[in-house]
Amino acid sequence: MKKNIIRQLYDVYCREFSMVIHDVGLILFFLFLPLAYPIVYSLIYNPELVRDVKMVVVDHDRSTKSRELVRNLDATQEAWVIGYAADMSEAHHAVNNHDCYAILEIPEGFGRKIGRGEQANAALFCESSLLLRYRGFLMASTNVAAEMGSEILMDKINEEVPLVGTITDGDIMPIKNISMGNIESGFDSFIMPGVLILILHQCIILAAGMAGGAKRERPELVGYNGVNEQPSVLMTMLGQMLCYITILIIPIIYLVHYVPLMFSFPMEGNLFEILMFLLPMIIACMGLGFCVQGIVWEREAIFVLWVVTSVVFLFLSGLTWPRYAMAPFWKWFGSCVPATWGVEGFIKMNTNGASLAQVSNCYINLWILAAVYMVGAYCVQRWVVRPSINKGYYVFDHVRSTQI
């Protein structure tokens, strides 16, 4: 009995491996997608930050304080003041010609209001075709305004109470911003660690779904024969899983270790613990892919059924909007997607250095999803996929016998 089980497992493994290496579409999903997509996505957002973006100034005040504001803004790494414009019309013309991407308008009386201790306002107009530029200008203007405000407040206190000067010399309220897990505050380092897991999630499900369509289109290729003894459904699923894991082990290590290494993404986690964490997600993705095989009758059908979910899963993962702020239905729906827990746990481990024990909630949820999807996959394989493949084999065998 034991030898028979091992033999079935070995036959399924070899048969599935042979099918993958002879199918260009499966090779594309198993190898090319996880190897090429991260490079393409990372290069799009590289460099992560935009520096010295051009801006012009419309200064109606021409005071010492207005010039100080412009100098401080020009000294930041985000903005580069290329010159002054006579009026807003000239400044808008420069933006429309892409000579600059922002306008700082300083109204008349700016310096006089500061001298009287009143609130003085300046307007910043940004061309927002690239949000990274807008973010840079916003950060630069906010930091400069806060710094000038603290200096003005310090001078005012020293004028009122000179003895306090020994206490208030320097910044009254020093602020040091440290972005945990993203030291440079770059967009690439923020979003790409989660996208890597989403790429792996989609690759596995797409490959498993296409494999199901290939078996129905050409059942003779994978050795299914309704007349002879077939491997049990359980051994078939286990053999397929072992085959897929064997093929994916190098792409997975490449995704979670070498891509962050190449693009200097945060890497604070332990590789072995990360792989242990991803194991239930991989199993859950395979189970979900086996379930999808029940409605995939052709290899290309998986594109129509599943590719459109990429953007949906990106939003549900919590990368662009926190999960706690989602409506109950979407929060529940996102919890049913393996990538949601995979993204959350991977970011905590690889970006912030959490251990496997510290992401136990995500880890347990992934094992629960793996068990649920594997049970569902067994039912789909036994009562939907296996009968349809056998039926296809009978049709193929009958046509072949007729031709002979």
Side-chain angles (χ1 to χ4, degrees):
M1 179 66 180
K2 184 177 180 180
K3 291 183 178 180
N4 186 40
I5 292 176
I6 295 176
R7 181 65 184 180
Q8 290 184 25
L9 195 63
Y10 176 77
D11 289 341
V12 174
Y13 181 92
C14 295
R15 183 189 65 202
E16 202 74 18
F17 197 88
S18 176
M19 183 187 69
V20 171
I21 64 177
H22 288 91
D23 192 306
V24 178
L26 291 175
I27 293 177
L28 181 71
F29 284 130
F30 274 124
L31 297 178
F32 179 77
L33 210 62
L35 294 178
Y37 264 38
I39 301 296
V40 174
Y41 287 163
S42 299
L43 288 176
I44 290 175
Y45 300 112
N46 189 29
E48 303 184 55
L49 303 174
V50 289
R51 305 181 188 275
D52 291 330
V53 184
K54 298 177 181 180
M55 68 181 304
V56 296
V57 177
V58 179
D59 190 355
H60 300 290
D61 192 53
R62 298 288 179 172
S63 64
T64 303
K65 286 298 181 182
S66 67
R67 288 192 291 270
E68 181 183 353
L69 174 63
V70 174
R71 285 197 304 270
N72 291 341
L73 196 59
D74 187 40
T76 63
Q77 64 178 1
E78 291 87 5
W80 175 21
V81 178
I82 61 173
Y84 288 81
D87 50 30
M88 289 298 294
S89 177
E90 182 181 345
H92 282 300
H93 182 72
V95 172
N96 293 335
N97 290 338
H98 299 290
D99 296 327
C100 65
Y101 301 96
I103 304 169
L104 176 66
E105 183 182 21
I106 303 176
E108 186 178 356
F110 178 82
R112 186 169 59 252
K113 288 182 179 180
I114 292 178
R116 292 201 301 255
E118 300 176 2
Q119 179 177 337
N121 298 318
L124 180 68
F125 303 90
C126 300
E127 189 263 353
S128 58
S129 60
L130 182 62
L131 291 180
L132 288 177
R133 285 198 291 257
Y134 167 78
R135 172 180 172 273
F137 284 130
L138 182 62
M139 289 182 59
S141 59
T142 302
N143 293 336
V144 167
E147 184 178 351
M148 288 187 65
S150 66
E151 291 177 357
I152 294 170
L153 180 59
M154 182 183 65
D155 293 339
K156 186 175 182 180
I157 292 176
N158 288 334
E159 290 176 1
E160 298 292 335
V161 190
L163 293 178
V164 186
T166 57
I167 303 175
T168 59
D169 284 342
D171 197 349
I172 297 177
M173 186 181 296
I175 299 175
K176 187 175 183 180
N177 181 26
I178 300 176
S179 301
M180 297 297 294
N182 188 358
I183 305 302
E184 294 187 2
S185 298
F187 186 77
D188 210 4
S189 296
F190 163 70
I191 198 171
M192 276 307 298
V195 172
L196 294 178
I197 302 302
L198 287 168
I199 291 174
L200 178 62
H201 176 270
Q202 296 297 80
C203 286
I204 295 174
I205 297 176
L206 289 171
M210 177 173 280
K215 293 170 186 175
R216 286 176 169 172
E217 287 182 354
R218 301 171 60 189
E220 78 286 355
L221 180 65
V222 294
Y224 281 107
N225 189 332
V227 178
N228 301 326
E229 180 182 357
Q230 298 182 18
S232 66
V233 175
L234 181 60
M235 289 298 103
T236 299
M237 291 174 56
L238 288 177
Q240 290 173 342
M241 290 172 57
L242 288 175
C243 174
Y244 297 163
I245 291 176
T246 302
I247 298 172
L248 284 171
I249 186 64
I250 294 179
I252 290 173
I253 295 176
Y254 168 80
L255 272 174
V256 302
H257 182 71
Y258 288 102
V259 171
L261 190 64
M262 285 188 293
F263 291 95
S264 301
F265 297 154
M267 294 181 62
E268 301 296 332
N270 181 276
L271 179 59
F272 178 74
E273 288 192 344
I274 291 175
L275 294 177
M276 290 294 296
F277 171 79
L278 292 178
L279 178 61
M281 193 201 81
I282 294 170
I283 296 175
C285 290
M286 290 182 183
L288 184 55
F290 292 154
C291 291
V292 174
Q293 287 182 1
I295 54 176
V296 176
W297 297 90
E298 297 176 349
R299 297 164 69 255
E300 294 78 9
I302 190 64
F303 292 100
V304 181
L305 296 173
W306 200 259
V307 171
V308 294
T309 64
S310 300
V311 178
V312 178
F313 291 163
L314 174 64
F315 287 115
L316 292 178
S317 66
L319 273 176
T320 57
W321 185 257
R323 295 190 68 245
Y324 63 79
M326 295 180 184
F329 170 78
W330 293 112
K331 188 176 181 180
W332 172 84
F333 184 69
S335 299
C336 298
V337 180
T340 299
W341 301 109
V343 168
E344 181 177 338
F346 178 74
I347 289 177
K348 289 179 179 179
M349 296 180 71
N350 195 60
T351 302
N352 294 326
S355 64
L356 188 60
Q358 291 173 315
V359 294
S360 57
N361 181 54
C362 299
Y363 194 54
I364 293 172
N365 288 332
L366 283 174
W367 278 116
I368 293 173
L369 288 180
V372 170
Y373 284 129
M374 290 307 295
V375 171
Y378 178 85
C379 297
V380 171
Q381 294 292 317
R382 180 169 182 177
W383 287 294
V384 179
V385 176
R386 179 65 65 88
S388 66
I389 291 177
N390 288 338
K391 181 179 179 182
Y393 178 82
Y394 285 131
V395 172
F396 168 78
D397 189 57
H398 175 71
V399 172
R400 183 176 60 179
S401 301
T402 303
Q403 291 175 348
I404 293 176

